[in-house]
């Protein structure tokens, strides 16, 4: 009999327990508590569950019979899960809008979302999916949306912080996984954020009202909270979030392939990588380390089953995400992360949300024009790189950029050259401790591309 493994974060919701079975990598299960069954039956019988699934808002599920009289729901596992503190601006925005769309639909069927944490949403490629099947409860006329404060702290405020400060907003959320408290987050916003009337109406003013009525009986406020008024509120909030945008801004990297790379070299690299990949990886997962705007992820999307692509530059990744949406490419899972400071394990006892290294697994890795940044900018020795890549994938296509290259010289221009170990021989020898070299190509600009496969004693 397969061993049941409970999800580490499941203790937070008394309505259900989330678990999986040992060695089952395809499915995840949710056991509903008896106290929640009346809400679930309405969720299903009213047609709300089917409506949300048909609209691709909610992850599909099936009921499993259980001898104890409880209900167990079975759903497919998402291939790769990125967490909110790894999202780009438009991923944050789309996740928030999805939550509001679901709240709107739920109200139409006599239900409401009892919570609005960002962890209820998972990206399946470029599509946000709501995965918390026990978040729905029967709407009680006269009750305000009790998850609104949670929504502002888990979506509205993080979106504004990411809008103005990019991944600094993610860092703040990482340290406030239950939501960024309004008292902590609002003072961080620039003054111009409060020139927007909606910011005052949906964040600043509600916080003041809440603080005033916190110790009072809410009954005298309740008559206004009907289904109709709640629908109007959800619609206004949706419209407001939808209008928030991030200014178009060129970073150091998001125009790299347009202005900063030799076209002849790029064409040659594309041909070599396409040839090496061929049709051998159609059922494999590719990891694109330091993907930039996803030039090579887009190039290879039709040749592999799935691509997990990430970069430290969030605006570059956001361009990839928007490109995938526009062109309906749904096998690229993109997010933002710093390879030298990867997302740590978080939550209670550091077990609620696993670290990036634990989630990052693929069949073949792609690391192009990356290792000189790891070595020169971050002082990472080749031997440590080899270990990191070997833990993540069985094969690797990696590029070495020699010290005389102008890009390396640019990195060395503002620091002492203490990198006497930075050379192709040491690079190759270091990676041979974990991998076997099977292909090699030298470009006209002296950059070298290596195709490596993990040694048998490493697999």
């Amino acid at each position: 009999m397969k061993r049941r493994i409970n999800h580490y974060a499941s203790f937070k919701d008394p309505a259900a327990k989330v678990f999986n079975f040992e060695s089952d990598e395809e499915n995840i299960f949710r056991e509903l508590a008896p106290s929640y069954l009346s809400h679930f039956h309405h969720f299903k019988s009213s047609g709300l569950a089917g409506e949300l699934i048909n609209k691709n808002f909610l992850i599909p599920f099936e009921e499993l019979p259980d001898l104890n009289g409880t209900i167990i729901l079975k759903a497919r596992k998402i291939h790769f899960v990125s967490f909110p503190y790894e999202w780009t601006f438009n991923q944050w925005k789309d996740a928030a809008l999805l939550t509001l769309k679901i709240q709107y639909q739920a109200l139409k069927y006599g239900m409401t979302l009892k919570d609005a944490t960002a962890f209820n949403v998972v990206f399946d490629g470029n599509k946000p999916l709501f995965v918390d099947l026990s978040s729905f409860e029967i709407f009680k006329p006269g009750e305000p949306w009790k998850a609104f404060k949670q929504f502002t702290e888990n979506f509205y405020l993080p979106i504004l912080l990411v809008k103005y400060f990019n991944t600094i907003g993610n860092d703040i959320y990482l340290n406030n996984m239950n939501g960024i408290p309004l008292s902590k987050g609002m003072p961080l916003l620039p003054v111009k954020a409060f020139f927007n009337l909606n910011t005052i109406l949906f964040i600043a003013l509600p916080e003041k009202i809440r603080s005033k009525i916190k110790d009072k009986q809410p009954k005298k406020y309740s008559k206004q909270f009907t289904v109709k008024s709640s629908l109007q509120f959800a619609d206004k909030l949706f419209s407001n979030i939808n209008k928030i945008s991030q200014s178009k801004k060129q970073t150091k990297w998001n125009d790299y392939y347009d202005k900063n790379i030799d076209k002849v070299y790029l064409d040659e690299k594309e041909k070599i990588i396409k040839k090496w990949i061929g049709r051998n990886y159609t059922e494999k997962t590719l990891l694109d380390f330091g993907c930039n705007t996803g030039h090579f992820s887009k190039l290879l999307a039709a040749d592999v089953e799935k691509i997990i692509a990430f970069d430290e530059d969030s605006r570059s990744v956001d361009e990839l995400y928007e490109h995938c949406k526009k062109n309906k490419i749904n096998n690229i899972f993109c997010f933002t992360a710093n390879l030298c400071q990867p997302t740590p394990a978080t939550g209670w006892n550091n077990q609620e949300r696993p670290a990036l290294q634990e989630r990052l697994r693929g069949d073949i890795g792609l690391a192009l024009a990356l290792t000189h940044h790891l070595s020169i900018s971050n002082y990472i020795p080749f031997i440590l790189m080899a270990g990191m890549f070997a833990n993540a994938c069985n094969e690797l296509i990696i590029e070495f950029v020699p010290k005389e290259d102008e890009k390396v010289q640019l990195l060395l221009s503002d620091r002492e050259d203490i990198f006497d170990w930075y050379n192709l021989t040491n690079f190759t020898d270091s990676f041979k401790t974990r991998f076997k070299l099977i292909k090699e190509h030298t470009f006209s600009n002296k950059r070298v591309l290596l195709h490596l496969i993990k040694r048998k004693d490493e697999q």
Side-chain angles (χ1 to χ4, degrees):
M1 186 174 180
K2 292 182 180 179
R3 183 168 66 95
R4 171 171 162 165
I5 304 171
N6 292 327
H7 192 286
Y8 283 115
S10 187
F11 67 88
K12 290 185 174 180
D13 185 3
K17 297 301 178 187
V18 179
F19 65 94
N20 65 284
F21 288 110
E22 190 175 34
S23 75
D24 184 350
E25 297 296 326
E26 302 299 322
N27 302 295
I28 194 159
F29 303 85
R30 187 179 299 260
E31 181 181 351
L32 303 182
S35 60
Y36 183 72
L37 294 184
S38 60
H39 299 286
F40 175 75
H41 290 315
H42 185 87
F43 175 57
K44 186 180 174 185
S45 63
S46 68
L48 175 58
E51 175 78 2
L52 295 178
I53 291 171
N54 289 337
K55 289 180 178 291
N56 293 318
F57 292 171
L58 182 73
I59 193 164
F61 65 90
E62 60 177 293
E63 288 184 55
L64 299 180
D66 187 79
L67 297 177
N68 296 323
T70 59
I71 293 178
I72 294 179
L73 307 180
K74 174 184 175 182
R76 65 180 174 87
K77 271 188 180 179
I78 302 299
H79 180 80
F80 173 80
V81 174
S82 61
F83 295 132
Y85 37 80
E86 298 168 330
W87 292 346
T88 68
F89 172 78
N90 279 300
Q91 286 177 317
W92 269 109
K93 183 175 172 179
D94 287 349
L97 294 177
L98 174 69
T99 301
L100 292 172
K101 287 177 185 177
I102 289 175
Q103 169 66 358
Y104 191 88
Q105 292 295 324
L107 288 165
K108 290 168 63 176
Y109 285 84
M111 302 201 80
T112 185
L113 287 176
K114 66 185 176 78
D115 56 61
T117 170
F119 290 99
N120 285 346
V121 179
V122 169
F123 279 87
D124 186 13
N126 67 55
K127 297 177 182 176
L129 268 181
F130 197 88
V131 296
D132 191 347
L133 299 172
S134 53
S135 274
F136 301 85
E137 67 179 17
I138 298 169
F139 176 77
K140 296 179 181 177
E143 279 194 358
W145 187 27
K146 57 187 177 184
F148 173 57
K149 182 174 184 287
Q150 191 178 36
F151 180 87
T152 60
E153 295 180 336
N154 276 266
F155 284 111
Y156 204 135
L157 195 49
I159 286 172
L160 290 177
L161 290 169
V162 173
K163 167 185 168 66
Y164 292 111
F165 307 117
N166 291 321
T167 53
I168 293 175
N170 285 355
D171 295 339
I172 297 170
Y173 189 82
L174 173 62
N175 290 288
N176 296 273
M177 287 184 8
N178 290 328
I180 302 171
L182 297 176
S183 59
K184 180 188 292 186
M186 284 196 298
L188 299 176
L189 293 173
V191 174
K192 61 183 177 181
F194 294 95
F195 292 164
N196 187 317
L197 180 60
N198 286 318
T199 303
I200 297 173
L201 292 176
F202 286 105
I203 295 185
L205 189 59
E207 175 64 3
K208 287 189 176 183
I209 294 174
R210 272 191 290 266
S211 64
K212 286 183 178 180
I213 68 172
K214 182 170 60 175
D215 299 322
K216 298 179 181 180
Q217 293 296 323
K219 291 182 179 179
K220 62 180 180 179
Y221 302 98
S222 66
K223 292 183 179 180
Q224 60 185 304
F225 297 114
T226 63
V227 169
K228 182 179 178 180
S229 65
S230 297
L231 283 167
Q232 290 172 342
F233 179 77
D235 188 51
K236 288 179 182 177
L237 188 53
F238 179 94
S239 177
N240 182 38
I241 296 288
N242 198 34
K243 290 176 183 176
I244 301 174
S245 62
Q246 195 174 34
S247 62
K248 298 293 182 182
K249 180 181 178 182
Q250 290 303 122
T251 69
K252 186 178 179 181
W253 301 110
N254 65 348
D255 64 348
Y256 180 78
Y257 284 98
D258 297 324
K259 300 178 180 179
N260 296 293
I261 195 166
D262 178 70
K263 186 69 166 58
V264 174
Y265 154 71
L266 180 60
D267 289 345
E268 185 180 1
K269 186 156 70 169
E270 288 176 355
K271 289 176 183 177
I272 292 296
I273 290 174
K274 283 284 284 186
K275 180 181 178 181
W276 286 3
I277 293 293
R279 301 300 297 168
N280 302 315
Y281 300 88
T282 53
E283 297 181 356
K284 305 285 188 178
T285 296
L286 182 144
L287 306 179
D288 192 350
F289 297 87
C291 66
N292 194 263
T293 54
H295 181 88
F296 284 90
S297 285
K298 291 180 280 189
L299 180 73
L300 299 172
D303 301 319
V304 298
E305 183 178 9
K306 293 180 178 69
I307 295 176
I308 300 171
F310 67 98
D311 197 282
E312 181 183 2
D313 189 88
S314 63
R315 286 181 180 262
S316 294
V317 180
D318 211 26
E319 287 188 23
L320 172 59
Y321 173 67
E322 290 295 292
H323 174 89
C324 290
K325 283 178 16 182
K326 180 180 178 181
N327 294 278
K328 298 181 179 179
I329 302 172
N330 204 46
N331 67 332
I332 297 179
F333 295 71
C334 59
F335 62 103
T336 182
N338 182 347
L339 197 57
C340 293
Q341 292 180 291
T343 313
T346 58
W348 176 252
N349 208 25
N350 289 112
Q351 291 182 315
E352 286 185 52
R353 313 291 171 187
L356 177 58
Q357 295 100 316
E358 187 177 339
R359 291 173 283 136
L360 198 60
R361 295 289 183 270
D363 298 293
I364 182 167
L366 199 64
L368 304 176
L370 173 66
T371 55
H372 58 298
H373 293 287
L374 300 179
S375 293
I376 307 299
S377 299
N378 295 280
Y379 307 94
I380 308 297
F382 295 143
I383 194 72
L384 295 183
M385 284 185 219
M388 183 275 294
F389 285 117
N391 289 335
C393 51
N394 292 323
E395 293 184 49
L396 180 65
I397 296 176
I398 191 167
E399 184 175 18
F400 176 78
V401 182
K403 187 178 280 191
E404 60 268 21
D405 190 281
E406 63 176 350
K407 300 299 184 185
V408 177
Q409 288 300 309
L410 185 62
L411 294 177
L412 288 169
S413 63
D414 61 352
R415 71 196 73 209
E416 182 183 356
D417 185 357
I418 59 173
F419 308 96
D420 56 331
W421 49 268
Y422 187 93
N423 57 70
L424 180 59
T425 299
N426 191 35
F427 181 85
T428 305
D429 289 345
S430 296
F431 275 85
K432 281 183 178 178
T433 63
R434 308 297 294 270
F435 295 90
K436 181 173 70 172
L437 177 63
I438 58 175
K439 294 189 189 78
E440 183 175 346
H441 178 83
T442 302
F443 297 103
S444 57
N445 60 7
K446 306 303 181 183
R447 294 187 177 193
V448 180
L449 197 65
L450 306 175
H451 186 173
L452 308 166
I453 187 167
K454 197 184 295 185
R455 295 162 56 99
K456 286 186 178 180
D457 56 348
E458 290 282 344
Q459 294 181 6

